[in-house]
PDB file of all heavy atoms in Angstrom:
ATOM      1  N   ALA A  23     107.491 160.382 116.587  1.00  0.00           N
ATOM      2  CA  ALA A  23     106.360 159.684 116.021  1.00  0.00           C
ATOM      3  C   ALA A  23     105.967 158.496 116.876  1.00  0.00           C
ATOM      4  O   ALA A  23     104.785 158.117 116.883  1.00  0.00           O
ATOM      5  CB  ALA A  23     106.746 159.208 114.645  1.00  0.00           C
ATOM      6  N   ASP A  24     106.838 157.887 117.551  1.00  0.00           N
ATOM      7  CA  ASP A  24     106.580 156.733 118.442  1.00  0.00           C
ATOM      8  C   ASP A  24     107.358 156.918 119.691  1.00  0.00           C
ATOM      9  O   ASP A  24     108.441 156.308 119.927  1.00  0.00           O
ATOM     10  CB  ASP A  24     106.985 155.484 117.724  1.00  0.00           C
ATOM     11  CG  ASP A  24     106.480 154.211 118.404  1.00  0.00           C
ATOM     12  OD1 ASP A  24     105.756 154.354 119.429  1.00  0.00           O
ATOM     13  OD2 ASP A  24     106.800 153.109 117.952  1.00  0.00           O
ATOM     14  N   PRO A  25     106.835 157.760 120.637  1.00  0.00           N
ATOM     15  CA  PRO A  25     107.625 158.118 121.836  1.00  0.00           C
ATOM     16  C   PRO A  25     107.990 156.938 122.756  1.00  0.00           C
ATOM     17  O   PRO A  25     109.061 157.005 123.472  1.00  0.00           O
ATOM     18  CB  PRO A  25     106.611 159.018 122.587  1.00  0.00           C
ATOM     19  CG  PRO A  25     105.656 159.528 121.553  1.00  0.00           C
ATOM     20  CD  PRO A  25     105.504 158.440 120.590  1.00  0.00           C
ATOM     21  N   LYS A  26     107.259 155.864 122.664  1.00  0.00           N
ATOM     22  CA  LYS A  26     107.590 154.748 123.567  1.00  0.00           C
ATOM     23  C   LYS A  26     108.948 154.070 123.207  1.00  0.00           C
ATOM     24  O   LYS A  26     109.574 153.439 124.032  1.00  0.00           O
ATOM     25  CB  LYS A  26     106.545 153.622 123.545  1.00  0.00           C
ATOM     26  CG  LYS A  26     106.292 152.992 122.242  1.00  0.00           C
ATOM     27  CD  LYS A  26     105.175 151.872 122.385  1.00  0.00           C
ATOM     28  CE  LYS A  26     104.801 151.286 120.989  1.00  0.00           C
ATOM     29  NZ  LYS A  26     104.217 152.216 120.135  1.00  0.00           N
ATOM     30  N   THR A  27     109.434 154.365 122.012  1.00  0.00           N
ATOM     31  CA  THR A  27     110.714 153.814 121.592  1.00  0.00           C
ATOM     32  C   THR A  27     111.879 154.474 122.397  1.00  0.00           C
ATOM     33  O   THR A  27     113.002 153.948 122.411  1.00  0.00           O
ATOM     34  CB  THR A  27     110.983 153.939 120.107  1.00  0.00           C
ATOM     35  OG1 THR A  27     110.957 155.347 119.793  1.00  0.00           O
ATOM     36  CG2 THR A  27     109.975 153.162 119.331  1.00  0.00           C
ATOM     37  N   ALA A  28     111.604 155.674 123.027  1.00  0.00           N
ATOM     38  CA  ALA A  28     112.544 156.324 123.826  1.00  0.00           C
ATOM     39  C   ALA A  28     112.936 155.431 125.029  1.00  0.00           C
ATOM     40  O   ALA A  28     114.068 155.517 125.523  1.00  0.00           O
ATOM     41  CB  ALA A  28     112.072 157.684 124.305  1.00  0.00           C
ATOM     42  N   LEU A  29     111.969 154.631 125.490  1.00  0.00           N
ATOM     43  CA  LEU A  29     112.261 153.679 126.635  1.00  0.00           C
ATOM     44  C   LEU A  29     113.332 152.739 126.226  1.00  0.00           C
ATOM     45  O   LEU A  29     114.116 152.264 127.083  1.00  0.00           O
ATOM     46  CB  LEU A  29     111.019 152.979 127.002  1.00  0.00           C
ATOM     47  CG  LEU A  29     109.825 153.829 127.528  1.00  0.00           C
ATOM     48  CD1 LEU A  29     108.614 152.954 127.765  1.00  0.00           C
ATOM     49  CD2 LEU A  29     110.277 154.515 128.799  1.00  0.00           C
ATOM     50  N   LEU A  30     113.447 152.293 124.951  1.00  0.00           N
ATOM     51  CA  LEU A  30     114.457 151.418 124.516  1.00  0.00           C
ATOM     52  C   LEU A  30     115.829 152.042 124.503  1.00  0.00           C
ATOM     53  O   LEU A  30     116.816 151.350 124.856  1.00  0.00           O
ATOM     54  CB  LEU A  30     114.113 150.926 123.055  1.00  0.00           C
ATOM     55  CG  LEU A  30     112.842 150.112 122.943  1.00  0.00           C
ATOM     56  CD1 LEU A  30     112.500 149.924 121.487  1.00  0.00           C
ATOM     57  CD2 LEU A  30     112.938 148.805 123.687  1.00  0.00           C
ATOM     58  N   GLY A  31     115.855 153.343 124.187  1.00  0.00           N
ATOM     59  CA  GLY A  31     117.171 154.080 124.392  1.00  0.00           C
ATOM     60  C   GLY A  31     117.573 154.177 125.781  1.00  0.00           C
ATOM     61  O   GLY A  31     118.781 154.094 126.113  1.00  0.00           O
ATOM     62  N   ALA A  32     116.663 154.276 126.778  1.00  0.00           N
ATOM     63  CA  ALA A  32     116.928 154.288 128.186  1.00  0.00           C
ATOM     64  C   ALA A  32     117.417 152.927 128.653  1.00  0.00           C
ATOM     65  O   ALA A  32     118.357 152.747 129.409  1.00  0.00           O
ATOM     66  CB  ALA A  32     115.758 154.726 128.916  1.00  0.00           C
ATOM     67  N   ALA A  33     116.763 151.868 128.149  1.00  0.00           N
ATOM     68  CA  ALA A  33     117.088 150.515 128.579  1.00  0.00           C
ATOM     69  C   ALA A  33     118.461 150.111 128.219  1.00  0.00           C
ATOM     70  O   ALA A  33     119.141 149.360 128.920  1.00  0.00           O
ATOM     71  CB  ALA A  33     116.063 149.493 128.005  1.00  0.00           C
ATOM     72  N   ALA A  34     118.956 150.593 127.045  1.00  0.00           N
ATOM     73  CA  ALA A  34     120.299 150.261 126.632  1.00  0.00           C
ATOM     74  C   ALA A  34     121.379 150.836 127.470  1.00  0.00           C
ATOM     75  O   ALA A  34     122.576 150.346 127.541  1.00  0.00           O
ATOM     76  CB  ALA A  34     120.441 150.792 125.147  1.00  0.00           C
ATOM     77  N   GLN A  35     120.999 151.868 128.325  1.00  0.00           N
ATOM     78  CA  GLN A  35     121.976 152.441 129.203  1.00  0.00           C
ATOM     79  C   GLN A  35     122.352 151.470 130.348  1.00  0.00           C
ATOM     80  O   GLN A  35     123.255 151.693 131.114  1.00  0.00           O
ATOM     81  CB  GLN A  35     121.447 153.744 129.764  1.00  0.00           C
ATOM     82  CG  GLN A  35     121.023 154.712 128.753  1.00  0.00           C
ATOM     83  CD  GLN A  35     122.110 155.000 127.617  1.00  0.00           C
ATOM     84  OE1 GLN A  35     123.270 155.134 127.954  1.00  0.00           O
ATOM     85  NE2 GLN A  35     121.613 154.954 126.373  1.00  0.00           N
ATOM     86  N   ILE A  36     121.663 150.304 130.441  1.00  0.00           N
ATOM     87  CA  ILE A  36     122.078 149.331 131.450  1.00  0.00           C
ATOM     88  C   ILE A  36     123.498 148.890 131.205  1.00  0.00           C
ATOM     89  O   ILE A  36     124.139 148.479 132.182  1.00  0.00           O
ATOM     90  CB  ILE A  36     121.062 148.154 131.478  1.00  0.00           C
ATOM     91  CG1 ILE A  36     121.263 147.244 132.681  1.00  0.00           C
ATOM     92  CG2 ILE A  36     121.229 147.283 130.187  1.00  0.00           C
ATOM     93  CD1 ILE A  36     120.256 146.155 132.803  1.00  0.00           C
ATOM     94  N   GLY A  37     123.911 148.903 129.965  1.00  0.00           N
ATOM     95  CA  GLY A  37     125.218 148.494 129.646  1.00  0.00           C
ATOM     96  C   GLY A  37     126.260 149.436 130.320  1.00  0.00           C
ATOM     97  O   GLY A  37     127.358 148.929 130.741  1.00  0.00           O
ATOM     98  N   VAL A  38     125.899 150.681 130.545  1.00  0.00           N
ATOM     99  CA  VAL A  38     126.854 151.637 131.203  1.00  0.00           C
ATOM    100  C   VAL A  38     127.138 151.138 132.603  1.00  0.00           C
ATOM    101  O   VAL A  38     128.226 151.117 133.103  1.00  0.00           O
ATOM    102  CB  VAL A  38     126.224 153.067 131.245  1.00  0.00           C
ATOM    103  CG1 VAL A  38     127.065 153.991 132.026  1.00  0.00           C
ATOM    104  CG2 VAL A  38     126.129 153.546 129.798  1.00  0.00           C
ATOM    105  N   PHE A  39     125.972 150.781 133.312  1.00  0.00           N
ATOM    106  CA  PHE A  39     126.151 150.442 134.728  1.00  0.00           C
ATOM    107  C   PHE A  39     126.654 149.005 134.971  1.00  0.00           C
ATOM    108  O   PHE A  39     127.289 148.760 135.991  1.00  0.00           O
ATOM    109  CB  PHE A  39     124.701 150.685 135.405  1.00  0.00           C
ATOM    110  CG  PHE A  39     124.327 152.100 135.342  1.00  0.00           C
ATOM    111  CD1 PHE A  39     123.401 152.517 134.311  1.00  0.00           C
ATOM    112  CD2 PHE A  39     124.858 153.052 136.232  1.00  0.00           C
ATOM    113  CE1 PHE A  39     123.010 153.848 134.303  1.00  0.00           C
ATOM    114  CE2 PHE A  39     124.479 154.390 136.132  1.00  0.00           C
ATOM    115  CZ  PHE A  39     123.582 154.784 135.151  1.00  0.00           C
ATOM    116  N   ILE A  40     126.364 148.066 134.045  1.00  0.00           N
ATOM    117  CA  ILE A  40     126.946 146.764 134.173  1.00  0.00           C
ATOM    118  C   ILE A  40     128.405 146.791 133.977  1.00  0.00           C
ATOM    119  O   ILE A  40     129.194 146.220 134.780  1.00  0.00           O
ATOM    120  CB  ILE A  40     126.337 145.784 133.117  1.00  0.00           C
ATOM    121  CG1 ILE A  40     124.861 145.503 133.508  1.00  0.00           C
ATOM    122  CG2 ILE A  40     127.162 144.505 132.990  1.00  0.00           C
ATOM    123  CD1 ILE A  40     124.192 144.592 132.487  1.00  0.00           C
ATOM    124  N   ALA A  41     128.931 147.552 132.998  1.00  0.00           N
ATOM    125  CA  ALA A  41     130.370 147.727 132.798  1.00  0.00           C
ATOM    126  C   ALA A  41     130.982 148.428 133.987  1.00  0.00           C
ATOM    127  O   ALA A  41     132.139 148.117 134.404  1.00  0.00           O
ATOM    128  CB  ALA A  41     130.612 148.430 131.502  1.00  0.00           C
ATOM    129  N   MET A  42     130.278 149.440 134.501  1.00  0.00           N
ATOM    130  CA  MET A  42     130.786 150.221 135.658  1.00  0.00           C
ATOM    131  C   MET A  42     130.975 149.309 136.810  1.00  0.00           C
ATOM    132  O   MET A  42     132.006 149.352 137.540  1.00  0.00           O
ATOM    133  CB  MET A  42     129.839 151.355 135.941  1.00  0.00           C
ATOM    134  CG  MET A  42     130.195 152.268 137.126  1.00  0.00           C
ATOM    135  SD  MET A  42     129.039 153.520 137.385  1.00  0.00           S
ATOM    136  CE  MET A  42     129.660 154.208 138.972  1.00  0.00           C
ATOM    137  N   LEU A  43     129.953 148.473 137.164  1.00  0.00           N
ATOM    138  CA  LEU A  43     130.023 147.585 138.319  1.00  0.00           C
ATOM    139  C   LEU A  43     131.143 146.524 138.088  1.00  0.00           C
ATOM    140  O   LEU A  43     131.882 146.144 139.120  1.00  0.00           O
ATOM    141  CB  LEU A  43     128.673 146.906 138.556  1.00  0.00           C
ATOM    142  CG  LEU A  43     127.522 147.804 138.989  1.00  0.00           C
ATOM    143  CD1 LEU A  43     126.240 147.089 139.077  1.00  0.00           C
ATOM    144  CD2 LEU A  43     127.875 148.451 140.343  1.00  0.00           C
ATOM    145  N   THR A  44     131.254 146.095 136.855  1.00  0.00           N
ATOM    146  CA  THR A  44     132.400 145.111 136.597  1.00  0.00           C
ATOM    147  C   THR A  44     133.733 145.755 136.790  1.00  0.00           C
ATOM    148  O   THR A  44     134.690 145.098 137.296  1.00  0.00           O
ATOM    149  CB  THR A  44     132.244 144.579 135.117  1.00  0.00           C
ATOM    150  OG1 THR A  44     130.884 144.056 134.947  1.00  0.00           O
ATOM    151  CG2 THR A  44     133.278 143.504 134.866  1.00  0.00           C
ATOM    152  N   ALA A  45     133.830 146.988 136.343  1.00  0.00           N
ATOM    153  CA  ALA A  45     135.150 147.721 136.510  1.00  0.00           C
ATOM    154  C   ALA A  45     135.483 147.880 137.990  1.00  0.00           C
ATOM    155  O   ALA A  45     136.605 147.729 138.421  1.00  0.00           O
ATOM    156  CB  ALA A  45     135.039 149.087 135.791  1.00  0.00           C
ATOM    157  N   ILE A  46     134.468 148.203 138.782  1.00  0.00           N
ATOM    158  CA  ILE A  46     134.675 148.333 140.297  1.00  0.00           C
ATOM    159  C   ILE A  46     135.164 147.015 140.870  1.00  0.00           C
ATOM    160  O   ILE A  46     136.093 147.025 141.636  1.00  0.00           O
ATOM    161  CB  ILE A  46     133.419 148.827 140.914  1.00  0.00           C
ATOM    162  CG1 ILE A  46     133.054 150.288 140.441  1.00  0.00           C
ATOM    163  CG2 ILE A  46     133.561 148.734 142.473  1.00  0.00           C
ATOM    164  CD1 ILE A  46     131.677 150.730 141.013  1.00  0.00           C
ATOM    165  N   ALA A  47     134.518 145.932 140.367  1.00  0.00           N
ATOM    166  CA  ALA A  47     134.945 144.575 140.893  1.00  0.00           C
ATOM    167  C   ALA A  47     136.354 144.188 140.508  1.00  0.00           C
ATOM    168  O   ALA A  47     137.063 143.439 141.202  1.00  0.00           O
ATOM    169  CB  ALA A  47     133.901 143.515 140.318  1.00  0.00           C
ATOM    170  N   LEU A  48     136.819 144.809 139.407  1.00  0.00           N
ATOM    171  CA  LEU A  48     138.208 144.583 138.901  1.00  0.00           C
ATOM    172  C   LEU A  48     139.210 145.491 139.573  1.00  0.00           C
ATOM    173  O   LEU A  48     140.375 145.386 139.287  1.00  0.00           O
ATOM    174  CB  LEU A  48     138.325 144.666 137.430  1.00  0.00           C
ATOM    175  CG  LEU A  48     137.523 143.606 136.610  1.00  0.00           C
ATOM    176  CD1 LEU A  48     137.617 143.933 135.133  1.00  0.00           C
ATOM    177  CD2 LEU A  48     138.142 142.209 136.864  1.00  0.00           C
ATOM    178  N   GLY A  49     138.759 146.333 140.448  1.00  0.00           N
ATOM    179  CA  GLY A  49     139.703 147.221 141.179  1.00  0.00           C
ATOM    180  C   GLY A  49     139.810 148.686 140.730  1.00  0.00           C
ATOM    181  O   GLY A  49     140.646 149.417 141.254  1.00  0.00           O
ATOM    182  N   PHE A  50     139.020 149.056 139.783  1.00  0.00           N
ATOM    183  CA  PHE A  50     139.119 150.464 139.221  1.00  0.00           C
ATOM    184  C   PHE A  50     138.376 151.344 140.288  1.00  0.00           C
ATOM    185  O   PHE A  50     137.418 150.881 141.029  1.00  0.00           O
ATOM    186  CB  PHE A  50     138.401 150.637 137.930  1.00  0.00           C
ATOM    187  CG  PHE A  50     139.134 150.077 136.795  1.00  0.00           C
ATOM    188  CD1 PHE A  50     138.919 148.824 136.318  1.00  0.00           C
ATOM    189  CD2 PHE A  50     140.043 150.873 136.100  1.00  0.00           C
ATOM    190  CE1 PHE A  50     139.622 148.330 135.242  1.00  0.00           C
ATOM    191  CE2 PHE A  50     140.774 150.400 135.075  1.00  0.00           C
ATOM    192  CZ  PHE A  50     140.531 149.100 134.618  1.00  0.00           C
ATOM    193  N   THR A  51     138.809 152.635 140.488  1.00  0.00           N
ATOM    194  CA  THR A  51     138.125 153.550 141.298  1.00  0.00           C
ATOM    195  C   THR A  51     136.771 153.977 140.709  1.00  0.00           C
ATOM    196  O   THR A  51     136.512 153.682 139.514  1.00  0.00           O
ATOM    197  CB  THR A  51     138.970 154.857 141.491  1.00  0.00           C
ATOM    198  OG1 THR A  51     139.031 155.486 140.215  1.00  0.00           O
ATOM    199  CG2 THR A  51     140.356 154.508 141.969  1.00  0.00           C
ATOM    200  N   LEU A  52     135.909 154.525 141.588  1.00  0.00           N
ATOM    201  CA  LEU A  52     134.593 154.895 141.050  1.00  0.00           C
ATOM    202  C   LEU A  52     134.639 155.839 139.834  1.00  0.00           C
ATOM    203  O   LEU A  52     133.949 155.603 138.857  1.00  0.00           O
ATOM    204  CB  LEU A  52     133.767 155.530 142.186  1.00  0.00           C
ATOM    205  CG  LEU A  52     132.988 154.584 143.074  1.00  0.00           C
ATOM    206  CD1 LEU A  52     132.434 155.308 144.257  1.00  0.00           C
ATOM    207  CD2 LEU A  52     131.906 153.922 142.263  1.00  0.00           C
ATOM    208  N   PRO A  53     135.452 156.924 139.891  1.00  0.00           N
ATOM    209  CA  PRO A  53     135.558 157.762 138.700  1.00  0.00           C
ATOM    210  C   PRO A  53     136.048 157.043 137.507  1.00  0.00           C
ATOM    211  O   PRO A  53     135.499 157.281 136.381  1.00  0.00           O
ATOM    212  CB  PRO A  53     136.568 158.888 139.086  1.00  0.00           C
ATOM    213  CG  PRO A  53     136.421 158.962 140.630  1.00  0.00           C
ATOM    214  CD  PRO A  53     136.241 157.481 141.052  1.00  0.00           C
ATOM    215  N   GLU A  54     137.044 156.107 137.622  1.00  0.00           N
ATOM    216  CA  GLU A  54     137.542 155.417 136.466  1.00  0.00           C
ATOM    217  C   GLU A  54     136.393 154.489 135.947  1.00  0.00           C
ATOM    218  O   GLU A  54     136.250 154.325 134.784  1.00  0.00           O
ATOM    219  CB  GLU A  54     138.733 154.540 136.892  1.00  0.00           C
ATOM    220  CG  GLU A  54     140.020 155.456 137.194  1.00  0.00           C
ATOM    221  CD  GLU A  54     141.116 154.616 137.732  1.00  0.00           C
ATOM    222  OE1 GLU A  54     140.831 153.486 138.376  1.00  0.00           O
ATOM    223  OE2 GLU A  54     142.304 155.116 137.739  1.00  0.00           O
ATOM    224  N   ALA A  55     135.767 153.790 136.913  1.00  0.00           N
ATOM    225  CA  ALA A  55     134.658 152.842 136.531  1.00  0.00           C
ATOM    226  C   ALA A  55     133.546 153.566 135.782  1.00  0.00           C
ATOM    227  O   ALA A  55     133.019 153.051 134.761  1.00  0.00           O
ATOM    228  CB  ALA A  55     134.139 152.132 137.767  1.00  0.00           C
ATOM    229  N   ALA A  56     133.220 154.735 136.206  1.00  0.00           N
ATOM    230  CA  ALA A  56     132.177 155.523 135.464  1.00  0.00           C
ATOM    231  C   ALA A  56     132.583 155.901 134.069  1.00  0.00           C
ATOM    232  O   ALA A  56     131.851 155.813 133.108  1.00  0.00           O
ATOM    233  CB  ALA A  56     131.849 156.764 136.279  1.00  0.00           C
ATOM    234  N   SER A  57     133.892 156.283 133.939  1.00  0.00           N
ATOM    235  CA  SER A  57     134.400 156.652 132.655  1.00  0.00           C
ATOM    236  C   SER A  57     134.481 155.456 131.705  1.00  0.00           C
ATOM    237  O   SER A  57     134.211 155.542 130.536  1.00  0.00           O
ATOM    238  CB  SER A  57     135.798 157.191 132.755  1.00  0.00           C
ATOM    239  OG  SER A  57     135.797 158.444 133.642  1.00  0.00           O
ATOM    240  N   ILE A  58     134.732 154.276 132.242  1.00  0.00           N
ATOM    241  CA  ILE A  58     134.707 153.037 131.468  1.00  0.00           C
ATOM    242  C   ILE A  58     133.302 152.590 131.126  1.00  0.00           C
ATOM    243  O   ILE A  58     133.051 152.248 129.990  1.00  0.00           O
ATOM    244  CB  ILE A  58     135.404 151.901 132.206  1.00  0.00           C
ATOM    245  CG1 ILE A  58     136.975 152.277 132.481  1.00  0.00           C
ATOM    246  CG2 ILE A  58     135.277 150.560 131.512  1.00  0.00           C
ATOM    247  CD1 ILE A  58     137.601 151.408 133.489  1.00  0.00           C
TER     248      ILE A  58
END
């Protein structure tokens, strides 16, 4: 009914990549960081 709200679902995925980059900075491997 309101397709533009799908962009908000996409924007929330920034949390995935922020946590991933933080995990890499803490010494996790790339596969581990992606899983976290």
Side-chain angles (χ1 to χ4, degrees):
D24 191 2
K26 62 180 177 291
T27 59
L29 297 175
L30 297 171
Q35 305 311 311
I36 192 174
V38 172
F39 298 98
I40 288 177
M42 179 180 172
L43 293 174
T44 306
I46 293 172
L48 291 175
F50 287 92
T51 65
L52 273 173
E54 291 171 341
S57 300
I58 295 167

